[in-house]
Structure formats: structure tokens, C-alpha cells
């Protein structure tokens, strides 16, 4: 049979289609094979992921059956996972098992997921459980339970809870500490705004509460140079460095000085606090003032004072120290070390000469490390003697005191010389002297003191007490109890600071006079003088004086008697002469009348002299009677002048009486006061040269709280020197031979003084040769 082309074409198409199908089938098979292999690989990979996963799954079916991986059995502490959920009651506690069953049933029925944390009953293992409804296509009504091993996380959570509780406690304690802090403290955020303030801050800004202060942004510190506290805090945050500054702020109405610190805390913000240092500043100011005052006071001292610090540098030297060591101001202003100071002092000759100066200097450098003060004498080459005292200071420094003892040593030498001189002087005194201290103990004495009381020198060398001394003295007195008076004299001089004295007779017949004199140093001086010879001379002089007094009284009585005796015949002579002058005895010739007038003139003069003698005798005896009456001063003195008008005219003397009725009146005896003033006027007339001038002044004035009358009589005569004036007032004058003394040659001035003093007044004379004499009478 022949194949037609059509059949061949059809067969070809069939064969091609079969071949194509075979190829497609082969390709599809290979593709399915590769898909199966990939699915198997994915399954193995998923199984491995699930196996290695930190979570293990278990399916819980509605009938109570469970399925899960073997690894989950290990987590539950089982060798094989049981078949039912209820078989896990031995794994979990009953309460947790009950919650697990209820949660699974709710998930199966209500399709609600849940989460539990379970703990194994027999192990310290914690499991986190998450429950979800299973895929209804694969496990309808089942619940997927995913278990997570939460043991490490739970332990970490427990540790974190403990740390959190501890951190909370620490934070609470820190917050309480910050809140209770007496200083203002605050915290600022990254923007510089206040976030937290403590109670001290609130009180400082007088805020109502911390929340209100933070909300209002109340700042404790004011702006300083245009920068607010927030600006300073942000600057500290940018620099990453704390900023500390001292500013002033007003707290409780008072201006206080604060030390403010801003501390950056990384990105969190900036913390700050303020410390009130006003008291410290005040203390610092007081310390500086005290130091300045102390240094000013040290400059006033005579001793030199210098202070070196712990680095042995000179930090202070007062002016005396600089003068003692010839330090220039520039040398003290720089950092002058102790060693350099010694070298400078040596160059200027202000340290003693030393054979080994470096060793001497090292020894002085060791003063800084000594525990006790050092005291040295530095004799210098120029004769200066310095006393150096070095006191180590607790801070490692050294206080140096330099005292110039040159004058002190010289005074000490002079004192020793004076003591020796005093001892020699005491021993050479005619009087016996002894010095007693306020406690009654004898200090010093001379040799005559021992001989005056008959005491042994060895006894006095023991500086006996006055009580012991009185026992020795009492045994040598005529009346031993009188020794107590000597002790009272010493006690009065030393304790009561007054002078006393007395006399005492010794048993050997001698008489001594003693006196206690207080000394400026508080001691008392007892002076003893042997007056035996002077006592005898005094008794003789007293007897002679008594005789002279008796003779003077006899003379006074004689003069008084003679005056009275002279007055009777003078009265008769004057009377008969007046009768003759009146012609009762017949007519007298011209010569007879002259004789009678001469007799009357002589009788008047003699009567005046007798009256003067009587007045002077009575005044000296204190028995001068005064017949006082009111006297108008100006008219009284004018009458006295007119009574002497003839003598004034005959001598061609000008008398100037100056006064007025303002002189007033006085209460006096006109006869005796007129006699006194008349004598003064007569003396002025007699002393004034021919053609001379006399001036009489009358004036009243206040003296000793009372009114006084002053009568001044001035002449321009030759005047007198001092001795002549004294003799004139005493009523005596030198005889012609210059050796004999004539008494009562003129009674005028002595009588005038006696009469004026009898009126309670005074008479003063002032005279110079060639310048006349001035008599001044003062009457109350």
C-alpha cells in the first residue's frame, strides 16, 4: 500500500505532536521533580528553623490530644511528650495547670489568643506561653501553643526589678537629700529652663512652691554683665566643664554673697547649686582687717618681726626689722628666701662673725624643722647686740623676732653702776636708812642703820620681816612697847602711802628720830637719825627762847607803862604851855611866845610817838582795840591830805588824788586807820624830791568773792632795794658802821602794817632804786 503524501503529512504531524508532548511531559516531570526537591529542602530548612527556634509549638486538639516536638519535652523536663494536655499536671503547678486548661478551651471555642507565664513545678524554669487558634484547614478546632524559654529573661527581669527598686530607693534618698539640703539646688534641661528645684531654692526666692517656681522660671541669681543664669548654664553645657562664680543675691531681704556652680550632666541637662559664703567673706574681710591691723601694730613695736612661709620665703617684715637689718623696700617686696636674707644680712654686717659661715647658715636653716623655739644673742661688729628668737609655725613657716638689746645692756650696766653707787651713797649718809617692801620685808639698808639700832649685819643680810626686826629693836629701847610705833610707821609708808614719824629713847640714853616716807615704787623708806646732841641743843635753845620771850614781854610791858607814865607829865606840860600862850601867866614877849609854841609842838610830836608805841605794843600783843564806824572813803582820804597841805606846799610837791564817790564806804576805826594811811602819805612826802609828784588812787574791786577797797600811794622818790625795803617794813635799819642793827628807828611802816592788818587788810610795798615806791593797801 502506498502512502499518500497527505497521509505522510498526517503521520508526520502526529509524530511531531507525540514528540512534542513527550518533550513537554519530560520537561514537566523534571520541573515537578525540582519543585518536590525544593519543597523537601524547604521543609527540612523549616524543620531545622523550628528545631533551632527559641520557641517550640504544641497543638492542642479539641479532644484533649496534644502534639509537639521532642525538644519541647526536654523543656518540660520529660523524656517524651505525653499524648493529652491533662497529662501535663505533673509538670505545672495545679493553679497554673487550671489557668492553662481554661485558656486553651477559650482559644479553641472563642478563637481568642492568650498569653501566660508558667513555671515548672520541679525546676527553676520559666516558660512564656502564647496561644493562637490553629489553621482550620489543617487542624480544625485546634489551638497552637507557642512555648518560649523565659528563664534567662525572667532572671534578668528579676534582677532588673531589684535594681529598679534599688535605683528608686537611691533616687528617693538622693531626692530627699537634695530636698533637705540647706543650700539652693536646681536642675535645668537642655534648653536651660528650670526643671527641678529644692526647698532651699524655693525659700531663697520666696516662692510658694517648687512647681510654681519652676513654672514661673524664678531665678535665684540676677543677671551679671548681661548674662542670665540660664546663659551661664548653657555655656557650661557647651564647654563640658563646670563653671563656678561668686555673685551677689538678695535672700530674705538681705544682700548675700553666693558661690554658684553649674555642672553639666551630658545630654540630660545642667545641675547647679549655690553656697552662701557671706559669713566666709565676712570672716575673710575680718581676717584681712585683723592682719592689716596686726601688721600696723607690729610696725609700731620696737622689736623687729618677720614671718617666713613654708617655702622659706619672706612674707612680712615690719619696719623695725627692716631698719635692724638694713633691708631696702625692693628687697622685701620680691620673693626673698631665708637663706638669701642671711647672705644679705652678712654682707651688711648684721649677723655675727662665724668661722664657718656655711655651717652656721645651715644650722639656722634647720630652725624651720625644730619643734621648739630658738633664742640666740647676735653680737655684731659695730657694737650692736641683737636678741634673735625663732618660733617654728605649724604650717612649716618660721616667725623671727629681733630685738636690739644694745641700749638695754647699756642701761643694765648703768644700773649695776647706780646700784653700787647707791650702796656707797647709802653707807656714807649721816642718817640711817632702810627700805621695806609692801609685805614688810626689808630690802636694802646702810651700815649706819645697823649701828643706830645696835643690830648685827649678818642678821640684816637675811632680809628680815618687820615683825622680826621689831623684836630686836624692842630689846634696845628704854620702853620696849614703843617698838610697835616703829612698825606702824613702816606700815603707813608702804601700805597707807603717807608720811609719819616719831622719837624714841634707847636704853643706852640715846634719842633717835625716825620717819616713814612712801617711795614711788610702792616701797617705804625708814629714816633714823640720832638726835641726842641736837635734842640737848634744842632744850638749851628752848630755855633761851623762853627767856627772850619773857624779856620781850617785859619790854612791851615796860614800854606800855612808860608810855602811860610819860603821858601824865606831857599833859601837864602841854596844859601849862597853853595857859602861858593864853596869857594867864602874864604877857609874854615875842621870844617867849616862840618858846611856848616850840614847847607845844614838841609835846604834840612826843604824844604822837607815845600813841604809836602804845598802838604797836598792843598790836604785837594782840590786844589792839578798834572803834569801828562807817567812813566815807573819798572825804576821809581828802581830809588826811589837807592836814598835810602845808608840808606839800612847802616841798613844792604835786599830789594827785584820784577817786570818786564810787569808792564807797568802809567799816573801820577812823583814828587808827587815819594814822596808818597818814604814815604812808608822810613817807611819800618825805621820799618825794622837791618839785616831785605823788599820786593816790582809790578803787573798789572784787576779790575772793567779796568787795575790796584798794588805796595806792605812788611817789617818784629815790626808791629802795629789796633788803632796804625789808628792813623798812620790819622797823629796823643798819647802823652807821654797817654792822650794828638799830631797831624801831622808824615806827611808821611797821605800825601802819599792824593797824591795816588789824582791820583785816594787807599792806604791800613795791620799790626799785631810782623809780620810787608804791604802797598798796587792800581793805575789805
Amino acid at each position: 500500500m502506498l502512502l499518500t503524501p497527505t497521509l505522510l503529512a498526517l503521520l508526520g504531524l502526529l509524530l511531531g505532536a507525540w514528540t512534542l508532548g513527550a518533550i513537554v511531559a519530560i520537561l514537566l516531570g523534571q520541573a515537578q521533580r525540582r519543585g518536590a526537591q525544593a519543597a523537601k529542602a524547604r521543609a527540612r530548612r523549616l524543620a531545622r528553623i523550628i528545631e533551632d527556634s527559641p520557641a517550640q509549638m504544641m497543638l492542642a486538639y479539641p479532644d484533649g490530644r496534644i502534639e509537639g516536638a521532642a525538644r519541647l519535652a526536654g523543656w518540660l523536663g520529660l523524656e517524651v511528650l505525653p499524648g493529652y494536655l491533662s497529662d501535663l499536671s505533673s509538670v505545672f503547678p495545679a493553679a497554673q495547670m487550671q489557668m492553662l486548661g481554661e485558656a486553651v478551651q477559650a482559644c479553641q471555642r472563642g478563637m481568642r489568643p492568650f498569653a501566660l507565664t508558667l513555671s515548672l513545678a520541679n525546676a527553676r524554669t520559666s516558660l512564656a506561653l502564647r496561644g493562637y487558634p490553629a489553621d482550620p484547614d489543617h487542624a480544625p478546632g485546634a489551638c497552637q501553643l507557642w512555648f518560649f524559654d523565659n528563664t534567662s529573661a525572667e532572671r534578668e527581669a528579676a534582677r532588673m526589678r531589684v535594681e529598679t527598686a534599688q535605683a528608686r530607693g537611691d533616687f528617693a534618698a538622693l531626692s530627699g537629700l537634695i530636698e533637705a539640703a540647706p543650700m539652693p539646688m536646681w536642675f535645668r534641661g537642655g534648653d536651660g529652663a528650670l526643671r527641678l528645684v529644692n526647698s532651699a531654692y524655693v525659700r531663697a526666692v520666696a516662692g510658694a512652691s517648687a512647681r510654681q517656681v519652676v513654672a514661673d522660671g524664678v531665678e535665684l541669681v540676677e543677671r551679671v554683665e548681661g548674662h542670665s543664669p540660664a546663659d551661664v548654664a548653657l555655656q557650661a553645657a557647651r564647654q563640658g566643664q563646670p563653671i563656678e562664680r561668686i555673685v551677689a543675691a538678695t535672700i530674705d531681704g538681705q544682700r548675700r554673697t553666693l558661690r554658684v556652680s553649674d555642672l553639666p550632666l551630658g545630654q540630660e541637662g545642667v545641675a547647679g547649686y549655690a553656697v552662701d559664703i557671706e559669713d566666709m567673706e565676712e570672716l575673710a574681710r575680718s581676717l584681712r582687717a585683723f592682719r592689716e591691723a596686726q601688721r600696723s601694730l607690729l610696725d609700731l613695736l620696737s622689736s623687729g618681726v618677720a614671718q617666713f612661709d613654708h617655702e622659706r620665703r619672706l612674707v612680712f617684715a615690719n619696719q623695725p626689722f627692716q631698719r635692724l637689718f638694713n633691708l631696702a623696700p625692693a628687697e622685701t617686696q620680691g620673693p626673698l628666701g631665708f637663706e638669701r636674707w642671711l647672705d644679705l644680712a652678712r654682707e651688711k654686717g648684721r649677723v655675727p662673725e662665724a668661722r664657718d659661715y656655711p655651717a652656721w647658715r645651715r644650722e639656722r636653716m634647720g630652725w624651720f624643722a625644730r619643734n621648739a623655739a630658738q633664742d640666740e644673742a647676735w653680737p655684731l661688729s659695730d657694737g650692736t647686740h641683737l636678741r634673735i628668737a625663732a618660733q617654728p609655725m605649724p604650717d612649716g613657716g618660721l616667725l623671727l623676732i629681733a630685738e636690739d638689746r644694745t641700749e638695754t645692756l647699756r642701761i643694765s650696766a648703768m644700773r649695776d653702776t647706780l646700784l653700787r653707787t647707791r650702796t656707797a651713797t647709802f653707807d656714807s649718809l649721816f642718817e640711817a636708812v632702810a627700805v621695806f617692801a609692801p609685805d614688810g620685808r626689808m630690802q636694802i639698808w646702810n651700815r649706819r642703820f645697823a649701828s643706830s639700832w645696835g643690830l648685827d649685819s649678818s642678821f640684816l643680810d637675811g632680809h628680815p620681816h618687820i615683825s622680826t626686826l621689831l623684836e630686836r629693836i624692842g630689846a634696845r629701847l628704854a620702853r620696849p612697847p614703843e617698838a610697835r610705833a616703829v612698825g606702824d610707821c613702816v606700815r603707813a609708808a608702804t601700805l597707807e602711802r603717807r608720811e609719819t614719824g616719831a622719837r624714841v629713847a634707847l636704853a643706852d640714853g640715846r634719842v633717835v628720830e625716825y620717819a616713814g616716807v612712801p617711795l614711788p615704787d610702792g616701797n617705804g623708806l625708814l629714816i633714823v637719825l640720832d638726835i641726842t646732841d641736837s635734842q640737848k641743843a634744842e632744850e638749851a635753845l628752848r630755855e633761851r627762847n623762853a627767856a627772850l620771850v619773857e624779856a620781850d614781854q617785859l619790854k612791851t610791858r615796860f614800854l606800855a607803862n612808860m608810855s602811860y607814865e610819860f603821858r601824865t607829865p606831857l599833859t601837864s606840860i602841854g596844859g601849862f604851855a597853853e595857859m602861858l600862850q593864853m596869857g594867864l601867866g602874864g604877857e609874854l614877849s615875842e621870844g617867849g611866845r616862840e618858846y611856848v609854841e616850840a614847847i607845844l609842838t614838841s609835846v604834840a610830836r612826843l604824844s604822837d610817838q607815845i600813841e604809836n608805841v602804845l598802838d604797836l605794843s598792843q598790836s604785837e600783843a594782840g590786844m589792839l582795840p578798834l572803834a569801828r564806824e562807817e567812813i566815807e572813803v573819798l572825804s576821809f582820804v581828802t581830809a588826811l591830805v589837807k592836814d598835810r597841805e602845808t608840808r606839800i606846799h612847802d616841798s613844792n610837791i604835786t599830789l594827785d588824788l584820784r577817786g570818786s564817790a564810787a569808792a564807797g564806804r568802809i567799816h573801820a576805826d577812823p583814828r587808827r586807820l587815819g594814822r596808818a594811811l597818814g604814815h604812808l602819805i608822810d613817807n611819800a612826802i618825805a621820799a618825794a624830791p622837791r618839785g616831785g609828784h605823788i599820786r593816790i588812787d582809790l578803787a573798789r574791786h572784787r576779790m575772793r568773792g567779796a568787795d575790796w577797797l584798794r588805796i595806792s600811794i605812788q611817789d617818784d622818790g629815790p626808791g629802795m632795794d629789796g633788803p632796804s625795803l625789808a628792813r623798812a617794813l620790819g622797823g629796823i635799819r643798819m647802823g652807821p658802821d654797817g654792822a650794828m642793827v638799830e631797831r624801831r628807828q622808824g615806827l611808821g611802816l611797821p605800825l601802819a602794817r599792824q593797824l591795816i592788818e588789824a582791820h583785816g587788810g594787807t599792806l604791800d610795798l613795791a620799790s626799785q632804786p631810782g623809780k620810787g615806791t608804791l604802797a598798796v593797801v587792800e581793805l575789805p
Side-chain angles (χ1 to χ4, degrees):
M1 170 171 125
L2 294 175
L3 294 177
T4 63
T6 304
L7 182 61
L8 289 175
L10 182 61
L11 289 175
L13 289 174
L14 289 173
L15 182 61
W18 180 83
T19 301
L20 180 62
I23 293 170
V24 171
I26 293 171
L27 292 177
L28 290 175
Q30 290 178 350
Q32 289 178 356
R33 183 180 179 184
R34 285 194 301 268
Q37 289 176 351
K40 185 177 181 181
R42 279 198 308 271
R44 287 196 301 268
R45 194 163 52 250
L46 290 175
R48 190 178 299 110
I49 291 174
I50 294 173
E51 184 70 19
D52 296 336
S53 173
Q56 297 295 321
M57 186 186 71
M58 181 174 66
L59 286 175
Y61 294 100
D63 57 359
R65 290 182 301 105
I66 59 175
E67 292 181 358
R71 186 181 176 192
L72 180 59
W75 282 12
L76 298 178
L78 302 174
E79 294 181 359
V80 178
L81 189 66
Y84 291 90
L85 182 64
S86 59
D87 295 337
L88 297 179
S89 59
S90 61
V91 177
F92 301 107
Q96 293 185 5
M97 190 63 196
Q98 183 178 355
M99 289 191 301
L100 176 60
E102 294 175 353
V104 170
Q105 290 180 3
C107 179
Q108 292 173 346
R109 296 173 183 176
M111 306 294 287
R112 292 195 303 267
F114 65 91
L116 293 176
T117 299
L118 303 177
S119 298
L120 300 185
N122 300 323
R124 300 178 59 185
T125 302
S126 178
L127 299 176
L129 178 61
R130 300 288 185 272
Y132 303 97
D135 187 1
D137 294 335
H138 296 85
C143 180
Q144 293 181 1
L145 301 179
W146 290 90
F147 289 86
F148 298 86
D149 190 351
N150 201 31
T151 303
S152 300
E154 186 65 24
R155 292 175 181 175
E156 183 68 18
R159 184 183 64 81
M160 293 181 65
R161 284 194 295 270
V162 172
E163 292 179 355
T164 301
Q166 183 177 0
R168 288 178 178 175
D170 294 343
F171 179 78
L174 182 60
S175 299
L177 179 63
I178 294 174
E179 184 67 18
M183 67 186 72
M185 303 181 73
W186 61 89
F187 175 76
R188 299 179 185 274
D191 57 353
L194 289 174
R195 296 287 184 83
L196 178 66
V197 295
N198 66 347
S199 299
Y201 190 103
V202 176
R203 291 193 300 270
V205 299
S209 64
R211 180 174 298 177
Q212 179 265 331
V213 170
V214 171
D216 296 343
V218 181
E219 294 290 351
L220 174 67
V221 181
E222 304 166 357
R223 284 180 173 268
V224 178
E225 298 179 355
H227 298 287
S228 66
D231 296 337
V232 177
L234 293 177
Q235 181 182 355
R238 287 192 300 270
Q239 296 177 354
Q241 296 289 336
I243 295 180
E244 184 177 282
R245 56 199 176 117
I246 296 178
V247 297
T250 302
I251 299 177
D252 293 335
Q254 297 181 355
R255 201 66 174 170
R256 311 289 292 181
T257 302
L258 304 178
R259 179 183 289 115
V260 179
S261 299
D262 289 290
L263 309 174
L265 302 179
Q267 300 297 324
E268 300 299 327
V270 180
Y273 62 90
V275 180
D276 189 342
I277 60 170
E278 179 66 26
D279 296 336
M280 295 176 58
E281 289 293 312
E282 182 64 27
L283 184 61
R285 288 191 291 268
S286 300
L287 181 60
R288 287 193 295 269
F290 173 76
R291 183 183 301 161
E292 293 298 327
Q294 185 183 46
R295 292 185 173 181
S296 300
L297 177 62
L298 291 177
D299 282 337
L300 299 178
L301 296 179
S302 59
S303 300
V305 180
Q307 185 175 359
F308 294 85
D309 61 11
H310 64 284
E311 295 182 356
R312 303 184 179 184
R313 294 179 304 183
L314 180 66
V315 295
F316 172 74
N318 66 348
Q319 294 297 327
F321 189 90
Q322 298 178 29
R323 289 194 297 268
L324 286 176
F325 293 96
N326 296 334
L327 292 177
E331 294 173 343
T332 59
Q333 292 176 359
L336 180 62
F338 184 78
E339 186 174 2
R340 176 56 182 162
W341 167 74
L342 288 177
D343 294 339
L344 288 176
R346 182 169 181 262
E347 293 173 2
K348 299 175 181 180
R350 307 310 294 172
V351 297
E353 294 294 336
R355 178 178 302 176
D356 187 356
Y357 173 72
W360 181 88
R361 183 178 60 187
R362 285 194 301 272
E363 184 179 353
R364 297 325 176 263
M365 294 289 291
W367 283 351
F368 285 86
R370 299 286 178 87
N371 294 326
Q374 304 297 313
D375 198 325
E376 288 188 354
W378 286 11
L380 306 184
S381 57
D382 61 354
T384 304
H385 293 267
L386 298 181
R387 175 178 174 265
I388 304 296
Q391 176 64 53
M393 303 302 291
D395 60 353
L398 184 71
L399 181 66
L400 204 63
I401 301 176
E403 179 185 2
D404 189 350
R405 303 194 63 190
T406 306
E407 188 68 16
T408 303
L409 294 177
R410 187 183 68 83
I411 293 175
S412 179
M414 292 177 58
R415 177 180 176 275
D416 295 339
T417 303
L418 290 175
L419 288 177
R420 290 192 295 269
T421 304
R422 183 192 65 181
T423 302
T425 304
F426 271 28
D427 289 339
S428 62
L429 289 177
F430 181 75
E431 297 88 353
V433 295
V435 177
F436 291 86
D439 60 356
R441 191 166 296 278
M442 179 183 288
Q443 300 295 319
I444 56 176
W445 63 93
N446 63 351
R447 289 179 295 181
R448 194 174 294 275
F449 185 85
S451 61
S452 296
W453 297 106
L455 301 174
D456 296 332
S457 298
S458 59
F459 169 71
L460 298 180
D461 290 340
H463 300 278
H465 193 268
I466 184 63
S467 58
T468 306
L469 183 64
L470 292 180
E471 295 177 0
R472 298 289 185 95
I473 293 176
R476 291 166 174 77
L477 299 180
R479 292 187 293 274
E482 291 183 349
R484 181 179 300 176
V486 179
D488 295 339
C489 180
V490 174
R491 187 178 300 106
T494 55
L495 301 180
E496 301 176 10
R497 312 301 297 163
R498 58 186 179 89
E499 296 183 10
T500 57
R503 295 180 179 179
V504 65
L506 275 69
D508 57 4
R510 292 183 295 126
V511 178
V512 297
E513 184 175 20
Y514 60 88
V517 180
L519 297 178
D521 59 355
N523 295 330
L525 176 67
L526 179 64
I527 305 174
V528 182
L529 180 64
D530 189 344
I531 60 170
T532 304
D533 296 336
S534 60
Q535 183 76 9
K536 295 177 181 179
E538 181 182 353
E539 292 177 356
L541 290 174
R542 285 180 178 176
E543 293 175 358
R544 184 175 180 182
N545 183 63
L548 291 175
V549 171
E550 181 64 25
D552 187 67
Q553 293 177 354
L554 180 63
K555 179 263 300 179
T556 302
R557 290 194 298 271
F558 172 74
L559 290 176
N561 292 333
M562 289 300 297
S563 298
Y564 282 111
E565 293 295 333
F566 285 152
R567 185 178 295 175
T568 300
L570 282 177
T571 302
S572 300
I573 293 172
F576 287 124
E578 290 177 355
M579 292 174 63
L580 290 175
Q581 188 180 31
M582 295 170 61
L584 296 180
E587 188 68 26
L588 296 177
S589 62
E590 186 67 26
R593 285 194 296 272
E594 292 180 359
Y595 295 150
V596 171
E597 289 178 359
I599 292 172
L600 290 174
T601 301
S602 299
V603 168
R605 293 179 59 188
L606 186 57
S607 296
D608 288 340
Q609 292 296 329
I610 290 173
E611 289 294 332
N612 291 339
V613 170
L614 285 174
D615 289 344
L616 186 61
S617 300
Q618 290 176 340
S619 178
E620 290 180 347
M623 298 181 296
L624 180 65
L626 296 177
R628 294 178 181 270
E629 60 183 61
E630 290 289 335
I631 299 176
E632 205 280 321
V633 177
L634 181 60
S635 59
F636 179 71
V637 176
T638 302
L640 292 177
V641 172
K642 287 185 177 180
D643 291 342
R644 292 156 178 79
E645 186 176 0
T646 302
R647 290 181 59 195
I648 295 172
H649 184 269
D650 292 342
S651 299
N652 195 22
I653 295 174
T654 302
L655 191 146
D656 186 9
L657 175 60
R658 300 181 180 182
S660 63
R665 297 173 176 272
I666 60 172
H667 194 65
D669 186 334
R671 184 173 68 85
R672 287 188 167 87
L673 183 59
R675 181 177 290 123
L677 296 178
H679 281 310
L680 296 177
I681 297 174
D682 291 340
N683 286 343
I685 294 173
R690 187 172 185 81
H693 179 267
I694 298 174
R695 189 178 71 185
I696 302 176
D697 293 324
L698 307 177
R700 297 179 71 88
H701 66 97
R702 296 284 295 178
M703 183 173 65
R704 295 190 291 271
D707 290 332
W708 286 71
L709 171 66
R710 177 179 293 167
I711 304 174
S712 302
I713 303 173
Q714 173 77 51
D715 65 67
D716 57 355
M720 294 178 287
D721 57 11
S724 299
L725 184 62
R727 288 193 296 272
L729 287 173
I732 60 176
R733 70 182 183 186
M734 302 300 296
D737 57 359
M740 297 298 294
V741 176
E742 299 179 359
R743 179 170 176 79
R744 301 304 187 196
Q745 293 297 325
L747 300 179
L749 287 177
L751 179 60
R753 167 172 275 182
Q754 293 285 351
L755 293 175
I756 291 172
E757 290 179 352
H759 284 81
T762 59
L763 171 61
D764 293 322
L765 292 181
S767 181
Q768 292 184 7
K771 295 185 179 181
T773 301
L774 172 64
V776 179
V777 178
E778 299 277 0
L779 291 172

